[in-house]
Amino acid sequence: MIKELCVIGHPSKLGGADTELDHQIRLWRDMGLDVYICPTGGFDSRANLMKQQMLNLGCKYIEYRSWKDLSGMHVISFCNGQFLANIEEIKKYAKSTTFVNCMTWNFEKELQAHEKGLIDFFLYQTQHQFDRGSVKLKEISSTYRPLFFNPYFDSSDFPFVQRKDSDYFRFGRISRGDADKYNKHQIWIWETMTAPVLKKGTVLGWDNRAICKLGTLPSYITGYSEGAITQQELYKECDVIIMTTDTYENLPRIGFEAMSSGSVLVVDNRAGWTVLVEDGKTGWLCNDQREFVYKASRSAFETNETNELRHNARNKLDTEWGKEHSSKSWELIFNQWDSL
């Protein structure tokens, strides 16, 4: 197996791909790899804090966009635009190049780089992501090399919250403030669902973009802009996460976070949510707004069932996205890199 790799880009505590990268780096270090990081953007106070955490893990830093220092190394990028923008220079020095697209569609620069033979491997987390993202890449070149990995989620950042009886049915939602992340029926669902006690909601990722699309929140729901509170603070306040989107999700990291924290997911029956949630066993999948209302209301009334779902979800997370399962998938990828 390989001994070292270099990440193009930088992990963070916010954003799907950057958050995922943080957890994969922890796993690679546990597997005994030397991990180098080549930043492509500036550092604010939050990024400096993450950099210190990476240094504490034993990661080593390469100077900002110093592509020549990549000589002889396998490099990997998680959805980083500067990796695609500078791929020709990177390819001159890197031993191999691997791109992890966290979306369910292709970037134009991703397609252009593949046409020029600049990306050696493409990594995928789910079959539905591959089915959507592979079509154009297959058409462009026969050198297309897709690989699958099982992402690792470090649950230590999101401890399981023991829930107590409350005078409120506490629910929430989390995403970027992007209006496309909100389905037009979202507020109607919250308003229409019923509970044996008062409803109390918390929304993280609420700003003018969502307001322009949906209107103002009801008085019993508090909205926070991105980063105004931590994800952990949100999940601590939410027994249930009730959210529907207009987007087609790959494998939402917030699903992992909620499962780890004990917040039961009531989400769309499509794409990445169907990988995370087993309907009626680890959460609820919904086909339309009326099913959302029924299953959200059921979560409020059937508290014993809801508690069972939250524990089942945490067990599923630890089993399917823990170190052992993920390490095996990365070992196979590293062997492919080595044999190129």
Side-chain angles (χ1 to χ4, degrees):
M1 192 174 75
I2 68 170
K3 303 294 184 183
E4 64 181 19
L5 61 79
C6 182
V7 174
I8 308 298
H10 203 273
S12 79
K13 292 294 185 184
L14 294 175
D18 290 342
T19 304
E20 179 179 342
L21 176 56
D22 170 26
H23 290 218
Q24 305 318 303
I25 289 174
R26 299 183 207 182
L27 179 68
W28 297 334
R29 290 294 297 140
D30 282 347
M31 294 173 68
L33 271 70
D34 287 332
V35 177
Y36 292 80
I37 299 175
C38 183
T40 60
F43 281 83
D44 56 16
S45 58
R46 185 178 290 155
N48 281 326
L49 181 61
M50 175 58 75
K51 181 177 180 179
Q52 188 57 53
Q53 292 180 22
M54 292 295 103
L55 290 170
N56 292 342
L57 282 175
C59 296
K60 304 169 186 177
Y61 274 76
I62 288 175
E63 189 177 345
Y64 169 79
R65 300 191 193 184
S66 183
W67 311 130
K68 66 180 184 302
D69 290 331
L70 305 176
S71 181
M73 279 198 279
H74 299 283
V75 303
I76 185 170
S77 172
F78 277 65
C79 229
N80 182 278
Q82 290 304 313
F83 170 80
L84 295 176
N86 294 276
I87 186 64
E88 292 197 39
E89 279 298 305
I90 292 170
K91 183 64 174 174
K92 290 179 182 178
Y93 303 100
K95 189 171 184 178
S96 73
T97 54
T98 296
F99 184 59
V100 187
N101 187 340
C102 60
M103 306 299 183
T104 54
W105 41 267
N106 301 108
F107 296 101
E108 189 59 35
K109 288 184 178 179
E110 174 190 9
L111 299 174
Q112 293 170 359
H114 180 48
E115 187 173 17
K116 296 177 182 179
L118 300 174
I119 300 177
D120 295 311
F121 297 98
F122 295 82
L123 266 58
Y124 302 93
Q125 301 164 318
T126 61
Q127 185 64 43
H128 63 263
Q129 183 199 26
F130 169 76
D131 291 342
R132 287 188 165 218
S134 64
V135 176
K136 292 181 180 179
L137 294 168
K138 288 178 182 176
E139 293 173 350
I140 288 173
S141 173
S142 60
T143 61
Y144 174 56
R145 300 183 189 89
L147 297 173
F148 285 81
F149 74 102
N150 197 75
Y152 168 60
F153 185 83
D154 187 344
S155 58
S156 63
D157 278 349
F158 295 89
F160 191 83
V161 179
Q162 297 295 339
R163 310 290 165 164
K164 299 178 181 179
D165 292 338
S166 172
D167 293 333
Y168 295 96
F169 173 54
R170 303 184 307 166
F171 65 94
R173 188 192 192 286
I174 176 174
S175 72
R176 296 196 310 273
D178 185 350
D180 287 341
K181 287 290 185 179
Y182 288 83
N183 182 275
K184 65 181 181 180
H185 298 294
Q186 183 68 89
I187 291 181
W188 181 87
I189 291 167
W190 293 331
E191 287 274 65
T192 310
M193 67 188 191
T194 59
V197 291
L198 294 173
K199 295 184 288 188
K200 185 176 183 179
T202 307
V203 179
L204 180 55
W206 181 262
D207 57 29
N208 287 333
R209 292 171 290 179
I211 293 172
C212 288
K213 181 175 182 177
L214 301 177
T216 57
L217 290 172
S219 60
Y220 56 87
I221 300 177
T222 303
Y224 294 94
S225 59
E226 297 173 12
I229 61 173
T230 66
Q231 298 102 304
Q232 289 87 346
E233 288 173 312
L234 172 85
Y235 299 122
K236 188 176 181 180
E237 291 299 315
C238 298
D239 299 325
V240 182
I241 298 294
I242 305 166
M243 59 181 292
T244 177
T245 71
D246 284 343
T247 52
Y248 191 87
E249 301 291 340
N250 171 27
L251 194 62
R253 298 298 288 181
I254 60 174
F256 290 137
E257 295 171 1
M259 293 165 72
S260 182
S261 306
S263 299
V264 174
L265 293 167
V266 183
V267 291
D268 296 300
N269 186 18
R270 65 172 184 270
W273 295 117
T274 64
V275 178
L276 293 169
V277 176
E278 296 177 71
D279 189 46
K281 294 182 180 180
T282 64
W284 295 109
L285 297 172
C286 306
N287 293 304
D288 55 41
Q289 64 267 30
R290 296 191 179 279
E291 191 168 4
F292 264 100
V293 170
Y294 165 67
K295 290 180 173 177
S297 301
R298 180 169 173 171
S299 300
F301 281 90
E302 303 296 336
T303 54
N304 289 338
E305 179 183 58
T306 302
N307 281 327
E308 184 177 350
L309 294 182
R310 77 174 89 257
H311 285 281
N312 290 346
R314 178 56 190 258
N315 290 336
K316 179 181 176 72
L317 174 67
D318 292 340
T319 301
E320 298 188 17
W321 292 284
K323 285 184 179 180
E324 181 178 359
H325 206 43
S326 185
S327 294
K328 290 179 180 177
S329 70
W330 281 111
E331 286 174 2
L332 294 174
I333 289 168
F334 297 153
N335 289 335
Q336 288 293 313
W337 288 1
D338 219 16
S339 63
L340 181 64

